[in-house]
Amino acid sequence: MTKSTPPTVRFAPSPTGRLHIGNIRTALYNWLFAKKGEGQFVLRLDDTDRERSTDEFAAGIVEDLAWLGIVPDRTEKQSDRFAKYDAVAEDLREKGLLYACYETADEIDRRRKRLMARGLPPVYERTALKLSAEEKTEFEAQGRQPHWRFLLPNFAENPFETQRTEVKFQDVMRGEQTVDLASMSDPVLIREDGSYLYTLPSVVDDIEMGVSHVIRGGDHITNTGAQIAIFEAVGGPVPEFGHHNLLQDASGEGLSKRSGALSIASLREAGYEPMAVASLATLIGTGQPVEACADIEILADVFDPEKVSKSNAKFSATDLDGLNDKLLHSMDYAQAEPRLRAIEADLGEDFWIAVRPNINRFQQASQWADIVEGRFEALPIEPEDAEFVALAAALLPEEPWDDQVWPNWTSAVKEKTGRKGRQLFMPLRKALTGQDHGPDMRQLMPVIGLPRTRRRLP
Ligand code: GLU
């Protein structure tokens, strides 16, 4: 691929659960890579496992991606494409590259254990390749259905005499990688119930959809060796590959779609900003600082696939909270305004600037809008403060108010009453907001305004 050819990438989750922050890392790496190269992003739902895949999970994936600002250029699902895989599988069978095996899972397991006990790698010995037509018929008469393995090109003449066969590729993220095809078993492409594992459909689709770069987790490196051989057997072209490091949870466990841990849906429900999640999922475990990027374009500029580390990265909730705070605390009004309107909390730019340092979730702006507009339960004024508050009320300056109203007013009250510090400020803050903490009163008081302030000071 020359530099000027825009890339085509794909994100290929199986719709068997909700996306978690680790899946999103793969999605974002593909999306950002496509963005940087002005290329195309395909969402491919790997739903060949018909039992575990559901339409709800597929819809959830689309929704989670959209929340992060990822809108695919094209969406496909593998369950629509079985005829294509069948044709390619048939072709491989005819070439002798896809062969029927009849071992049960138990037999395979026992064989693996025997090899390992002898200190040998647990590589499938191609026993099924020796079966005669009669033996196969016999197995089928017993009710056994075959599963189908791809014959890896790791031998010269005799498939039972394998030899070191290096597949090399230039990984976008890890540099040159080498996989030895003699170190692995012939991959099963079709299960005994006739369903496909993702391995072959993925190759068929990548070719047909013009995928130029396959970007996925580092747990696929060995698969890549086998898949490159399959690309070649099917007639290519072979795309480029990039394998990113994986994310683990705080205790060092891998993330699983099935457990629902750190799902994007749960982070969204918890009120996190999509760009806090996207910034963390992208930048953690890279040689780059984990900074809060305000939008996906900025993240695309910052992201550098070559800086992704090789070792796994740990998700940290504290990092996510920190990024979320940074985004909210620096969000300008133009960006906040439509969202404030949506939660009926748009009281103007001065309001937003006053409250943004005091919120950890955008939604909390509505609590402050309620307070400014007087929808809160007034705190009882302590008997020892009653006279003080009344005096303060009498000293309220006329409007127009600016950010000097609070310092000017409180100095006048201080002079009159002799109170200072907490004793001076706290009863006034409580009377005006019903809270003992909150935004800087210098910014908040002009937003509350004189009539409402007067009503709160008996
Ligand atoms: N469906 C596969 C997975 O989720 C796709 C892997 C790939 O990106 O090729 O593991």
Side-chain angles (χ1 to χ4, degrees), residues 10 12-14 44 46 198 202 214 216 220:
R10 86 303 193 270
S14 35
R44 194 186 74 207
D46 283 5
Y198 91 99
S202 179
V214 171
R216 56 188 179 181
H220 283 291

Side-chain angles (χ1 to χ4, degrees), residues 322-355:
L323 293 174
N324 204 68
D325 283 356
K326 270 198 200 127
L327 286 174
L328 290 175
H329 300 171
S330 61
M331 187 181 292
D332 57 30
Y333 179 62
Q335 219 187 329
E337 190 198 329
R339 294 177 62 187
L340 287 170
R341 243 184 292 126
I343 59 170
E344 294 178 9
D346 183 18
L347 304 186
E349 181 161 12
D350 292 346
F351 163 77
W352 173 245
I353 301 299
V355 305

Side-chain angles (χ1 to χ4, degrees), residues 365-387:
S366 74
Q367 292 156 20
W368 286 108
D370 285 346
I371 288 172
V372 166
E373 298 201 309
R375 292 184 294 273
F376 66 91
E377 206 159 314
L379 291 175
I381 293 182
E382 306 292 336
E384 67 269 25
D385 290 331
E387 195 191 331

